[in-house]
Coordinates of all heavy atoms in Angstrom, one line a residue:
I30 N -21.1 13.0 -15.9 CA -21.5 14.4 -15.9 C -20.5 15.3 -16.5 O -20.8 16.2 -17.3 CB -21.8 14.9 -14.4 CG1 -23.1 14.2 -13.9 CG2 -21.9 16.4 -14.4 CD1 -23.3 14.5 -12.4
C31 N -19.2 15.0 -16.2 CA -18.1 15.8 -16.9 C -18.1 15.6 -18.4 O -18.0 16.6 -19.2 CB -16.7 15.3 -16.4 SG -16.4 15.8 -14.7
H32 N -18.3 14.4 -18.9 CA -18.4 14.2 -20.3 C -19.6 14.8 -20.9 O -19.6 15.3 -22.0 CB -18.3 12.7 -20.6 CG -17.0 12.1 -20.4 ND1 -15.9 12.4 -21.1 CD2 -16.6 11.2 -19.5 CE1 -14.8 11.8 -20.7 NE2 -15.2 11.0 -19.7
A33 N -20.7 14.7 -20.2 CA -22.0 15.3 -20.7 C -21.8 16.8 -20.9 O -22.2 17.4 -21.9 CB -23.2 15.0 -19.8
V34 N -21.3 17.5 -19.8 CA -21.1 18.9 -19.9 C -20.1 19.3 -21.0 O -20.2 20.3 -21.7 CB -20.7 19.5 -18.5 CG1 -20.3 21.0 -18.6 CG2 -21.8 19.4 -17.6
N35 N -19.1 18.5 -21.2 CA -18.1 18.7 -22.3 C -18.8 18.6 -23.6 O -18.5 19.5 -24.5 CB -16.9 17.7 -22.2 CG -15.8 18.1 -23.1 OD1 -15.7 19.2 -23.5 ND2 -14.9 17.2 -23.4
L36 N -19.7 17.7 -23.8 CA -20.4 17.5 -25.0 C -21.3 18.7 -25.2 O -21.4 19.3 -26.3 CB -21.2 16.2 -25.1 CG -22.1 16.0 -26.3 CD1 -21.3 15.9 -27.5 CD2 -23.0 14.8 -26.0
I37 N -22.0 19.1 -24.1 CA -22.9 20.2 -24.2 C -22.2 21.5 -24.5 O -22.6 22.4 -25.3 CB -23.7 20.4 -22.9 CG1 -24.7 19.2 -22.7 CG2 -24.4 21.7 -22.8 CD1 -25.3 19.1 -21.3
D38 N -21.0 21.7 -23.9 CA -20.2 22.9 -24.1 C -19.8 23.0 -25.5 O -19.7 24.1 -26.1 CB -19.0 22.8 -23.2 CG -18.2 24.1 -23.2 OD1 -18.8 25.2 -23.3 OD2 -17.0 24.1 -23.1
G39 N -19.5 21.9 -26.2 CA -19.1 21.9 -27.6 C -20.3 22.3 -28.4 O -20.1 23.0 -29.5
L40 N -21.5 22.0 -28.0 CA -22.7 22.4 -28.8 C -23.1 23.8 -28.5 O -23.3 24.6 -29.4 CB -23.8 21.4 -28.5 CG -23.6 19.9 -28.9 CD1 -24.7 19.1 -28.4 CD2 -23.4 19.8 -30.4
S41 N -23.3 24.1 -27.2 CA -23.8 25.4 -26.8 C -23.7 25.5 -25.3 O -24.2 24.7 -24.6 CB -25.2 25.7 -27.2 OG -25.7 26.9 -26.7
I42 N -23.0 26.6 -24.8 CA -22.9 26.8 -23.4 C -24.2 27.0 -22.7 O -24.4 26.8 -21.5 CB -21.9 27.9 -23.1 CG1 -21.5 27.9 -21.6 CG2 -22.4 29.2 -23.5 CD1 -20.8 26.8 -21.0
C43 N -25.2 27.5 -23.5 CA -26.5 27.8 -23.0 C -27.2 26.6 -22.4 O -27.9 26.7 -21.4 CB -27.4 28.4 -24.0 SG -26.8 30.1 -24.5
W44 N -27.0 25.4 -22.9 CA -27.6 24.2 -22.4 C -27.0 23.9 -21.0 O -27.7 23.4 -20.1 CB -27.3 23.0 -23.3 CG -28.2 23.1 -24.5 CD1 -27.8 23.4 -25.8 CD2 -29.6 23.0 -24.6 NE1 -28.9 23.4 -26.6 CE2 -30.0 23.2 -25.9 CE3 -30.6 22.7 -23.7 CZ2 -31.3 23.1 -26.3 CZ3 -31.9 22.7 -24.1 CH2 -32.3 22.9 -25.4
A45 N -25.7 24.2 -20.8 CA -25.1 24.0 -19.5 C -25.7 25.0 -18.5 O -26.0 24.6 -17.3 CB -23.6 24.1 -19.5
I46 N -26.0 26.2 -18.9 CA -26.6 27.2 -18.0 C -28.1 26.7 -17.7 O -28.5 26.8 -16.6 CB -26.6 28.6 -18.7 CG1 -25.2 29.1 -18.8 CG2 -27.5 29.5 -17.9 CD1 -25.0 30.4 -19.5
Y47 N -28.8 26.2 -18.7 CA -30.1 25.7 -18.4 C -30.1 24.6 -17.4 O -31.0 24.5 -16.5 CB -30.8 25.2 -19.7 CG -31.1 26.2 -20.7 CD1 -31.1 26.0 -22.1 CD2 -31.4 27.6 -20.4 CE1 -31.4 26.9 -23.1 CE2 -31.7 28.5 -21.3 CZ -31.7 28.2 -22.7 OH -32.0 29.1 -23.6
A48 N -29.2 23.7 -17.5 CA -29.1 22.6 -16.6 C -28.8 23.1 -15.2 O -29.4 22.6 -14.2 CB -28.0 21.6 -17.0
A49 N -27.9 24.1 -15.1 CA -27.6 24.7 -13.8 C -28.8 25.4 -13.2 O -29.0 25.3 -12.0 CB -26.4 25.7 -13.9
V50 N -29.6 26.0 -14.0 CA -30.8 26.7 -13.6 C -31.8 25.7 -13.0 O -32.3 25.9 -11.9 CB -31.5 27.5 -14.7 CG1 -32.9 27.9 -14.3 CG2 -30.6 28.7 -15.0
F51 N -32.0 24.6 -13.7 CA -32.9 23.6 -13.2 C -32.4 22.9 -11.9 O -33.2 22.6 -11.0 CB -33.3 22.6 -14.3 CG -34.1 23.1 -15.4 CD1 -33.7 23.2 -16.7 CD2 -35.4 23.7 -15.1 CE1 -34.4 23.7 -17.7 CE2 -36.2 24.2 -16.1 CZ -35.7 24.2 -17.4
I52 N -31.1 22.7 -11.8 CA -30.6 22.1 -10.6 C -30.7 23.1 -9.4 O -31.0 22.7 -8.3 CB -29.1 21.7 -10.8 CG1 -29.1 20.5 -11.8 CG2 -28.5 21.2 -9.5 CD1 -27.7 20.1 -12.2
A53 N -30.5 24.4 -9.7 CA -30.7 25.5 -8.7 C -32.2 25.5 -8.2 O -32.4 25.7 -7.1 CB -30.3 26.8 -9.3
I54 N -33.1 25.3 -9.2 CA -34.5 25.3 -8.8 C -34.8 24.1 -7.9 O -35.5 24.3 -6.8 CB -35.4 25.3 -10.0 CG1 -35.3 26.6 -10.8 CG2 -36.9 25.0 -9.7 CD1 -36.0 26.6 -12.1
I55 N -34.2 23.0 -8.2 CA -34.4 21.8 -7.3 C -33.8 22.1 -5.9 O -34.4 21.8 -4.9 CB -33.8 20.6 -8.0 CG1 -34.7 20.2 -9.2 CG2 -33.8 19.4 -7.0 CD1 -34.0 19.1 -10.1
A56 N -32.6 22.7 -5.9 CA -31.9 22.9 -4.6 C -32.8 23.9 -3.8 O -32.8 23.8 -2.6 CB -30.5 23.5 -4.9
L57 N -33.4 24.9 -4.5 CA -34.2 25.8 -3.8 C -35.5 25.2 -3.2 O -35.9 25.5 -2.1 CB -34.6 27.0 -4.7 CG -35.4 28.2 -4.1 CD1 -34.5 28.8 -3.0 CD2 -35.8 29.1 -5.2

Side-chain angles (χ1 to χ4, degrees):
I30 290 172
C31 289
H32 288 295
V34 170
N35 191 19
L36 176 66
I37 290 170
D38 188 34
L40 299 174
S41 172
I42 189 67
C43 292
W44 287 109
I46 293 174
Y47 292 150
V50 166
F51 288 118
I52 295 171
I54 290 170
I55 292 170
L57 187 61

